[in-house]
């Protein structure tokens, strides 16, 4: 039996795939949590701009957005609130998340490498 999610308009939408569930957990929870830990690690070291944690941060950042696109293309078009998402909104999310992530990465490196 598939797990069911109640949508705002009252319709029930089943999660029919473990792949969709895993992708949803990745972009909603795991990606942002791992990014937070990586930012903390970048802030606490002084080993330049292109270290292992920097590469890990950029890979997880891209992977989080990639997971969102994969779940969208697999049929899970709902956002974090369960509301339907359009492709234009998905593009806005992707641009904002990537831009914000790069800004956070730059600031973390500036503080971690130069201001301490």
């Amino acid at each position: 039996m598939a797990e069911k999610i109640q949508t705002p308009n009252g319709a029930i939408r089943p999660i029919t795939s473990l792949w969709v569930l895993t992708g949803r957990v990745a972009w909603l929870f795991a990606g942002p949590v791992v990014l937070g830990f990586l930012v903390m690690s970048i802030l606490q070291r002084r080993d330049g701009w292109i270290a292992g944690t920097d590469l890990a941060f950029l890979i997880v950042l891209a992977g989080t957005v990639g997971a969102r696109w994969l779940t969208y293309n697999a049929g899970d078009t709902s956002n974090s609130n369960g509301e339907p998402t359009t492709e234009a909104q998905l593009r806005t999310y992707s641009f904002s998340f990537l831009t914000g992530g790069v800004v956070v990465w730059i600031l973390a490196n500036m503080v971690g490498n130069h201001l301490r």
Side-chain angles (χ1 to χ4, degrees):
M1 185 168 163
E3 181 181 338
K4 307 238 183 232
I5 294 178
Q6 187 79 26
T7 59
N9 64 1
I12 295 187
R13 179 183 45 81
I15 294 178
T16 58
S17 165
L18 183 61
W19 172 253
V20 171
L21 180 63
T22 303
R24 189 161 180 84
V25 168
W27 74 266
L28 273 174
F29 177 72
V33 168
V34 171
L35 289 171
F37 284 122
L38 288 168
V39 166
M40 295 305 296
S41 178
I42 291 169
L43 287 169
Q44 295 173 357
R45 64 165 175 74
R46 290 184 161 200
D47 56 357
W49 283 78
I50 306 295
T53 49
D54 295 304
L55 295 176
F57 180 88
L58 296 174
I59 289 168
V60 172
L61 181 67
T64 302
V65 172
R68 178 63 184 114
W69 276 92
L70 288 174
T71 57
Y72 181 84
N73 288 327
D76 181 15
T77 61
S78 60
N79 63 17
S80 60
N81 295 326
E83 300 165 347
T85 302
T86 65
E87 191 168 328
Q89 291 169 324
L90 185 59
R91 289 181 198 278
T92 301
Y93 160 81
S94 300
F95 178 77
S96 301
F97 195 80
L98 290 172
T99 302
V102 169
V103 168
V104 167
W105 174 71
I106 290 170
L107 292 173
N109 269 291
M110 288 173 65
V111 171
N113 292 319
H114 303 292
L115 299 179
R116 287 190 314 140

